[in-house]
Amino acid sequence: MRQQSYLFSCLKSSSYDFQYLSVYVRLSALVVCGFFLLCKHRLPRAAALWLLGASLVYYGWWNPAYLLLIVCSLTGNYLLAAVMVSASGTLRRMLLAGGVAANIGLLGYYKYTDFVIGSYNALTGAAVPLQHIVLPLAISFFTFQQVAYLVDCHRGRAGTHGFVDYALFVCFFPQLIAGPIVHHAEMMPQFASLRSRVVQWQNIYTGLFLFSLGLFKKVVLADNLAVFAGYGFDSADTLSMGVAWGTSLAYTMQLYFDFSGYTDMALGASQMLNIRLPDNFISPYRAVNIQDFWRRWHITLSRWLRDYLYIPLGGSRRSESRTLVNLVFTFLLGGLWHGAGWTFVAWGAAHGAAMAVHRVWSAGGRRMPALAGWACTFLFVNLAWVLFRAESFADALKVYEGMAGLHGFGMTRTFKDMFEAATGVGPYGQLQFLLPACLAAFVFPNSRTLRGLVSPGMFWTAWIVICLFCSLYFMADAAHVSEFIYFRF
Amino acid sequence: MIMRVDRYKRHSFYALFWTVGLFALFKLLLFANYASGFRMVQQDALVRYQLERIALPDPVHTLLVGDSSLGNAVSAPLFSAVTGRPALSLALTGSFGVQGSVNMALRAMQHHPEIRNVVFFQTLDIFQRRSGTWPYATVDPWCPQTWRSIAVSDGVTAIDVLAGYLQFVTDLGHLRHGMTDMTPELSAGTLYTEQADSRFNNGGRTLGVKNWITGTPRERVVQALDEFAAYCAARGVRCIFVFGPMHEEVIAHSAGYVREVWRLLNKTRHLTVVPELFPLSADRLGDSEDHVAPEFQAETTRQYARRLEEFLLP
């Protein structure tokens, strides 16, 4: 059983997602121009407000009613933090507990109510009606950022900041919807810095490069792979071995290019505004063990879970068995953070268990050859993504059965015909996107490396033009663009 | 240092200028593609052939649109003879989906205001299929908004735009070399594309578990078809839906799907539905479980014509 948010169904059933991508691209251009225009006329305060306004407009584009939620949330947290800083002792602890509970409660209400009710119904046979609560966009992201801020205020590590800087930290539009999950210590000083208010052409150029690369990853690679992955998962009953593996691999690559593409766009748009966001991906599919994978995949989430969950639980400072329990528990919650469904919990548990196994294995001083380690890690990650993507355990099982060859090895004509009807290129046609995607994930330099190499010249300019042109070309057909996967978290 | 900053500035502008310029040029070419009449619909030779038949001056009373189950099962001239009403068959393939048939019907109704009946003749699993990515099926300007939105939700790729564009280039090449005849290889007997040699009735094809239809029909597609039926009704045209023939074993093993299809079809308000399936044994089937073997086309045509007669407007 898995609760899909209303947003998810909206994204699946309309061109809403396309609108969001289109708005994102246009807004980025408009905001950069407007920001520096205001800065040029020595209106830095107005420029900051311009950024904040644009961020709120972007958020409200989805559903203006939810603007109230994010504004109330960030105002409440800001005021609470201000009071907490001046309080001490028990009151300070109580304020923190109240603040964290309120944030988690809000997230829980919007994201997990139906999940809890559905699980209760399934367990007891009751028929409590589901509430069908609409999940506000990005609530998982801004909740985590604000909880971290409150905790650091309590620890005396946050300092004092102006409201606009704080509001920008929470809802800065390039990373508002799908991260990276930023830390106040790395963001607010940048918003306050004068350096960020002068046009820096190096940042514009590099930002443009990152933005175009991200857009290309999202629109050209991820969205085309989405068609194949989606069709495969929708026809899980009939997947033969080769097709099932192709489907899982297509989703593995889709997820990476979708999410890292969005991150690159966020990094690029921010860099044009002279704001440096943290890296979120460093070639994760080249990881040689599962710990390495989590140091490369969604780095800012791993950082948050480590600093605000794993370490407070005791981290590795206690007994070995307690450390393993902490690891698994952290990943269980990490899985649940991704979505209100038991498949997400199982996905988190699988990764937690893998981390525990890896820890036990390495504790004995055992090492695996890099190639074998990479193969095991990638195989595991690929298999686990099936759980992440499937609508239910039954669906996941069907894909696993297909991968195990229980549905046969070759493709039936019916499958070929229907696949071709759905994708236009036939089952083998997916290789035209899957192979370059694998090549890019396994071999090509990642965007962090490329960012360091970019310099003004025809090669890089041509690269930007090709990426942007191809992306715009694919975006010209609205039917093609699918949602950012991480929007729904 | 200043020179380096200037280079960053200059190349930032280059990047934007070339991107905008190239994209504008691309848009211009696409526009020219549409405006010149070479539209993307010509991607498929079968579509081209059927479009040419729409343009013929012969009057049409009953329009048959659908997929290959229609093309293989029904001979329009014989259907006309049995029903006593001039019929035109514009069969495409199942890859075009129901929207392909809708597109075809819309075009034909523009050219032939005398049409009184539009018969959708589709294969059994058509309501399960996702939108086709052929330009004609989804991108064509004729495609009504409802079908476009279904295509959007299906995540149709933009490859079709590229295909359409490339076809434009191909068409230009053909024109330059005087190759204007793009008529596909048609069987003189069935007036539809030739079937493969590997058939059910010669043992070349067999069924397996994978051929059973196990999914669920897509309600939105049925609703959209009903919307089109309302459109027809407003113009005094009756819109009829009938399933094409299907291998009897496939029907027997697809009970859940079939039940759900009837439930959805029974909910339609404007569509006239022929309430039965047309199972065929393997010895009458050609190269697919929904293709009548050519030698049985005449017999199947008569069977359908007699069954449909009571539903057709005079």
Short mmCIF file of all heavy atoms in Angstrom, two decimals, chain A residues 239-249 386 398-404:
data_model
loop_
_atom_site.label_atom_id
_atom_site.label_comp_id
_atom_site.label_asym_id
_atom_site.label_seq_id
_atom_site.Cartn_x
_atom_site.Cartn_y
_atom_site.Cartn_z
N LEU A 239 6.99 -8.81 -18.04
CA LEU A 239 8.40 -8.49 -18.31
C LEU A 239 9.24 -9.76 -18.37
O LEU A 239 9.33 -10.50 -17.40
CB LEU A 239 8.95 -7.58 -17.22
CG LEU A 239 8.31 -6.19 -17.11
CD1 LEU A 239 8.99 -5.38 -16.02
CD2 LEU A 239 8.41 -5.45 -18.44
N SER A 240 9.85 -9.97 -19.52
CA SER A 240 10.80 -11.08 -19.61
C SER A 240 12.11 -10.62 -18.98
O SER A 240 12.26 -9.45 -18.60
CB SER A 240 11.01 -11.46 -21.07
OG SER A 240 11.57 -10.38 -21.75
N MET A 241 13.05 -11.51 -18.89
CA MET A 241 14.27 -11.23 -18.14
C MET A 241 15.03 -9.99 -18.66
O MET A 241 15.35 -9.08 -17.89
CB MET A 241 15.19 -12.45 -18.19
CG MET A 241 16.33 -12.38 -17.21
SD MET A 241 17.21 -13.95 -17.30
CE MET A 241 18.35 -13.76 -15.96
N GLY A 242 15.27 -9.99 -19.96
CA GLY A 242 16.02 -8.87 -20.52
C GLY A 242 15.30 -7.56 -20.36
O GLY A 242 15.89 -6.53 -19.99
N VAL A 243 13.99 -7.59 -20.60
CA VAL A 243 13.21 -6.35 -20.51
C VAL A 243 13.14 -5.88 -19.05
O VAL A 243 13.22 -4.68 -18.77
CB VAL A 243 11.79 -6.56 -21.07
CG1 VAL A 243 10.98 -5.29 -20.95
CG2 VAL A 243 11.86 -6.99 -22.52
N ALA A 244 13.02 -6.83 -18.13
CA ALA A 244 12.94 -6.45 -16.72
C ALA A 244 14.24 -5.78 -16.27
O ALA A 244 14.22 -4.76 -15.58
CB ALA A 244 12.66 -7.69 -15.86
N TRP A 245 15.37 -6.34 -16.68
CA TRP A 245 16.64 -5.71 -16.33
C TRP A 245 16.77 -4.35 -17.01
O TRP A 245 17.26 -3.40 -16.41
CB TRP A 245 17.81 -6.62 -16.71
CG TRP A 245 18.04 -7.68 -15.67
CD1 TRP A 245 17.61 -8.96 -15.71
CD2 TRP A 245 18.71 -7.52 -14.42
NE1 TRP A 245 17.97 -9.63 -14.56
CE2 TRP A 245 18.66 -8.78 -13.74
CE3 TRP A 245 19.36 -6.47 -13.78
CZ2 TRP A 245 19.22 -8.98 -12.49
CZ3 TRP A 245 19.92 -6.68 -12.53
CH2 TRP A 245 19.85 -7.92 -11.89
N GLY A 246 16.33 -4.28 -18.26
CA GLY A 246 16.37 -2.99 -18.97
C GLY A 246 15.50 -1.97 -18.26
O GLY A 246 15.89 -0.80 -18.12
N THR A 247 14.33 -2.41 -17.80
CA THR A 247 13.43 -1.50 -17.11
C THR A 247 14.05 -0.97 -15.82
O THR A 247 14.02 0.23 -15.55
CB THR A 247 12.11 -2.24 -16.78
OG1 THR A 247 11.49 -2.62 -18.01
CG2 THR A 247 11.16 -1.37 -15.99
N SER A 248 14.61 -1.88 -15.04
CA SER A 248 15.18 -1.43 -13.77
C SER A 248 16.38 -0.52 -14.01
O SER A 248 16.55 0.48 -13.33
CB SER A 248 15.58 -2.64 -12.91
OG SER A 248 16.71 -3.27 -13.44
N LEU A 249 17.16 -0.86 -15.02
CA LEU A 249 18.32 -0.02 -15.32
C LEU A 249 17.87 1.35 -15.82
O LEU A 249 18.45 2.39 -15.47
CB LEU A 249 19.19 -0.72 -16.37
CG LEU A 249 20.59 -0.17 -16.58
CD1 LEU A 249 21.38 -0.20 -15.29
CD2 LEU A 249 21.33 -0.96 -17.65
N VAL A 386 14.06 -0.73 -7.53
CA VAL A 386 12.79 -1.36 -7.95
C VAL A 386 11.75 -1.17 -6.86
O VAL A 386 10.60 -0.81 -7.11
CB VAL A 386 12.98 -2.86 -8.28
CG1 VAL A 386 11.65 -3.53 -8.55
CG2 VAL A 386 13.90 -3.02 -9.48
N LYS A 398 6.76 -8.59 -9.01
CA LYS A 398 6.61 -8.98 -10.42
C LYS A 398 7.87 -8.60 -11.22
O LYS A 398 8.32 -9.36 -12.07
CB LYS A 398 5.40 -8.27 -11.03
CG LYS A 398 4.07 -8.87 -10.61
CD LYS A 398 2.94 -8.03 -11.15
CE LYS A 398 1.63 -8.37 -10.47
NZ LYS A 398 0.63 -7.32 -10.69
N VAL A 399 8.39 -7.41 -10.92
CA VAL A 399 9.61 -7.00 -11.64
C VAL A 399 10.77 -7.91 -11.25
O VAL A 399 11.54 -8.36 -12.12
CB VAL A 399 9.94 -5.52 -11.34
CG1 VAL A 399 11.23 -5.10 -12.05
CG2 VAL A 399 8.80 -4.61 -11.78
N TYR A 400 10.87 -8.22 -9.96
CA TYR A 400 11.95 -9.12 -9.52
C TYR A 400 11.80 -10.48 -10.18
O TYR A 400 12.79 -11.10 -10.57
CB TYR A 400 11.93 -9.27 -8.00
CG TYR A 400 12.43 -8.05 -7.26
CD1 TYR A 400 11.77 -7.57 -6.13
CD2 TYR A 400 13.57 -7.38 -7.68
CE1 TYR A 400 12.22 -6.45 -5.44
CE2 TYR A 400 14.03 -6.25 -7.01
CZ TYR A 400 13.35 -5.79 -5.89
OH TYR A 400 13.81 -4.68 -5.24
N GLU A 401 10.56 -10.95 -10.29
CA GLU A 401 10.33 -12.24 -10.96
C GLU A 401 10.81 -12.18 -12.40
O GLU A 401 11.44 -13.10 -12.91
CB GLU A 401 8.84 -12.60 -10.93
CG GLU A 401 8.38 -13.09 -9.57
CD GLU A 401 6.85 -13.27 -9.50
OE1 GLU A 401 6.17 -12.97 -10.52
OE2 GLU A 401 6.38 -13.67 -8.45
N GLY A 402 10.48 -11.06 -13.05
CA GLY A 402 10.93 -10.88 -14.43
C GLY A 402 12.44 -10.89 -14.51
O GLY A 402 13.04 -11.53 -15.39
N MET A 403 13.09 -10.20 -13.57
CA MET A 403 14.56 -10.13 -13.58
C MET A 403 15.16 -11.50 -13.33
O MET A 403 16.27 -11.81 -13.79
CB MET A 403 15.04 -9.14 -12.51
CG MET A 403 14.66 -7.70 -12.83
SD MET A 403 14.91 -6.57 -11.45
CE MET A 403 16.59 -6.07 -11.72
N ALA A 404 14.43 -12.33 -12.59
CA ALA A 404 14.93 -13.68 -12.31
C ALA A 404 14.62 -14.65 -13.45
O ALA A 404 14.99 -15.82 -13.40
CB ALA A 404 14.31 -14.19 -11.02
#
